[in-house]
Amino acid sequence: MATEVKVPTLGESVTEASIGELLKNVGDAVAVDEPIVSLETDKVAVEAPSPVAGVITEFKVEVGDTVEVGAVLAVIEEGGAPAAKGEEAGRAAEQREEGKEERAEASAPAASSDASQTLSPAVRRAVLEHGVDPSTIKGTGKDGRLTKEDVIAAAKAKKDGGTIADAAPAQAATPSAPAGERREERVKMTRMRQTIAKRLKGAQDNAALLTTFNDVDMSAVIEARTRYKDLFAKKHDIRLGFMGFFAKAACLALKDVPAVNAYIEGDEIVYHDYVDISVAVSAPNGLVVPVIRDAQDKGFARIEKDIADFGKRAKEGTLTMEDMKGGTFTISNGGVFGSLMSTPIINPPQSAVLGLHRIEDRPVVVDGEIVIRPMMYIALSYDHRLIDGREAVTALKIIKEAIEDPTRMLIDL
């Protein structure tokens, strides 16, 4: 009996997606709920699972296609080998044989290759092209699955004399060109990247963006982390980071300056008596902003666990639409990439975003003397249609004071 695999419901207001990757081949056996197609939506990557156990007889889509919810992705013959006839049977058998040959070639570099490892077509091509053993590469995809970037990074590490196991996935394949030859490569933007581009450009077009800056002496926070990091980790089983401090400091500021935690909807201003902080996280396909719900009621440990979980799931591609829904304020930490200063763009419909940057020792004047302190520039970009300069500067100053004197966060000052 033939069963169609269709595009699942993708979330509220999401009606279509792009085909990111075919995780199986025609002729492959699949189990119930085993992913066979990776879909890219405006915000997240999701996988379409098989509703039955059987053998894939046909794919109705190709990588890069745009599909709507309910569209047919593939056809699966339940139970065993497909009962095809004539030319269709011949094509199916031929495709299955090609799949077997490709898998055999992919595992050829070493006798110890994992024969049960499922490689996508793109990964198999990369394995064959670069001549690496997939069983020696640690996958960074969902459930440890190999990605094309993993293979390219492993090949580069092997070429440079390093070990494949320690190779970090490359951001993009950069084919070597003969000396003097200039090359170009055109790559279609992913649906997520297109959406990011539209939203950021929309923010510039629709909001009256302005940024105010300040600098923060990080000495007190660094001292607190140094003193309590071991006890904190032992009690809460999570590392004490900087984001917890800034999230709690932001909650203080947004409580005192509610306009920074509001947004414009039509001709009305929507105020919130809660703080849902969107945390900008780097994912393989672009920047995503999962939300820490009710941050004003959470302690440092819960906030740090939420952030760590978001980061892990962003890399695995398992964040959901619900994780990124809503948000009243955003924190973006460009400092982890080495940024000294920036003007972050708000995340619509929000009206403000806090930008954090790298910490570096700088000379500052304290009590008339020049001393060296670990300093960080912080920036608050805001929609001037709603937030006045006085309010923006006040909010950023409250954050600065709370970080320089963390006791303020304990006594709500």
Side-chain angles (χ1 to χ4, degrees):
M1 177 180 175
T3 300
E4 294 180 336
V5 182
K6 298 182 179 181
V7 178
T9 301
L10 301 171
E12 183 181 353
S13 75
V14 180
T15 60
E16 61 180 22
S18 296
I19 305 299
E21 189 175 3
L22 302 181
L23 305 177
K24 293 287 186 178
N25 297 301
V26 171
D28 283 351
V30 293
V32 177
D33 293 331
E34 184 175 3
I36 64 171
V37 176
S38 175
L39 302 169
E40 293 180 352
T41 70
D42 291 352
K43 295 183 178 180
V44 294
V46 297
E47 292 179 337
S50 171
V52 297
V55 175
I56 299 175
T57 60
E58 182 183 7
F59 275 108
K60 297 285 190 179
V61 295
E62 296 181 355
V63 174
D65 287 353
T66 297
V67 292
E68 296 183 350
V69 172
V72 178
L73 298 171
V75 178
I76 294 178
E77 188 70 25
E78 293 185 46
K85 296 181 180 181
E87 293 183 1
E88 291 183 2
R91 284 197 299 270
E94 187 175 318
Q95 288 171 322
R96 287 198 297 275
E97 193 62 32
E98 289 176 356
K100 291 178 182 177
E101 291 175 0
E102 288 179 353
R103 285 192 291 277
E105 291 177 22
S107 60
S112 60
S113 296
D114 182 1
S116 65
Q117 186 176 25
T118 300
L119 305 179
S120 70
V123 173
R124 265 201 313 279
R125 285 194 297 270
V127 166
L128 293 173
E129 179 182 347
H130 296 283
V132 296
D133 180 2
S135 68
T136 62
I137 307 173
K138 183 177 180 181
T140 61
K142 185 178 181 181
D143 299 326
R145 186 180 295 124
L146 284 183
T147 66
K148 181 180 177 182
E149 288 73 21
D150 296 332
V151 176
I152 294 170
K156 185 177 184 299
K158 184 178 179 181
K159 181 178 179 181
D160 294 341
T163 61
I164 290 178
D166 295 333
Q171 291 298 316
T174 307
S176 58
E181 182 179 347
R182 288 152 54 101
R183 302 185 62 178
E184 293 181 352
E185 182 181 6
R186 291 181 181 271
V187 179
K188 185 177 180 180
M189 293 174 68
T190 64
R191 180 169 294 274
M192 184 182 294
R193 175 53 60 185
Q194 292 179 45
T195 300
I196 291 172
K198 290 177 182 177
R199 287 176 61 84
L200 294 181
K201 183 57 180 173
Q204 287 185 321
D205 291 342
N206 299 322
L209 290 179
L210 191 62
T211 304
T212 183
F213 299 92
N214 215 318
D215 60 358
V216 177
D217 184 344
M218 297 293 293
S219 299
V221 168
I222 292 174
E223 182 182 351
R225 290 183 69 227
T226 301
R227 180 181 298 180
Y228 298 114
K229 64 179 181 180
D230 293 336
L231 289 174
F232 188 88
K234 183 178 180 180
K235 180 175 181 179
H236 301 292
D237 193 29
I238 190 69
R239 174 178 169 271
L240 178 60
F242 291 119
M243 284 294 287
F245 287 93
F246 279 100
K248 296 304 292 183
C251 288
L252 280 182
L254 301 182
K255 179 181 177 181
D256 286 355
V257 190
V260 182
N261 195 43
Y263 59 76
I264 295 174
E265 189 173 272
D267 59 356
E268 297 178 331
I269 299 174
V270 181
Y271 292 94
H272 307 90
D273 66 352
Y274 55 87
V275 179
D276 284 353
I277 298 180
S278 302
V279 182
V281 177
S282 180
N285 292 332
L287 195 70
V288 293
V289 279
V291 180
I292 302 173
R293 312 283 177 190
D294 294 314
Q296 78 284 352
D297 296 329
K298 292 183 176 179
F300 281 77
R302 184 66 264 169
I303 290 175
E304 292 292 352
K305 287 180 179 180
D306 285 351
I307 294 171
D309 178 59
F310 289 150
K312 178 175 180 292
R313 290 196 287 137
K315 291 179 180 178
E316 296 173 348
T318 57
L319 286 171
T320 67
M321 299 291 289
E322 190 63 29
D323 291 325
M324 288 175 280
K325 183 179 178 181
T328 61
F329 182 76
T330 294
I331 298 179
S332 178
N333 186 5
V336 297
F337 304 109
S339 172
L340 175 64
M341 185 179 292
S342 66
T343 55
I345 299 178
I346 63 174
N347 178 27
Q350 298 172 22
S351 298
V353 53
L354 174 67
L356 310 182
H357 303 91
R358 75 170 185 252
I359 302 170
E360 62 178 8
D361 289 340
R362 291 201 296 268
V364 296
V365 177
V366 177
D367 297 330
E369 296 183 357
I370 298 176
V371 296
I372 302 298
R373 293 290 173 85
M375 304 297 293
M376 175 197 287
Y377 289 117
I378 57 176
L380 185 73
S381 291
Y382 59 98
D383 187 346
H384 211 341
R385 295 178 303 164
L386 170 61
I387 303 169
D388 293 332
R390 176 183 60 82
E391 294 172 313
V393 172
T394 299
L396 195 61
K397 184 170 179 287
I398 292 173
I399 293 172
K400 167 185 169 69
E401 292 172 344
I403 294 298
E404 293 184 338
D405 183 7
T407 304
R408 288 174 172 266
M409 288 182 268
L410 296 177
I411 61 177
D412 192 16
L413 183 61

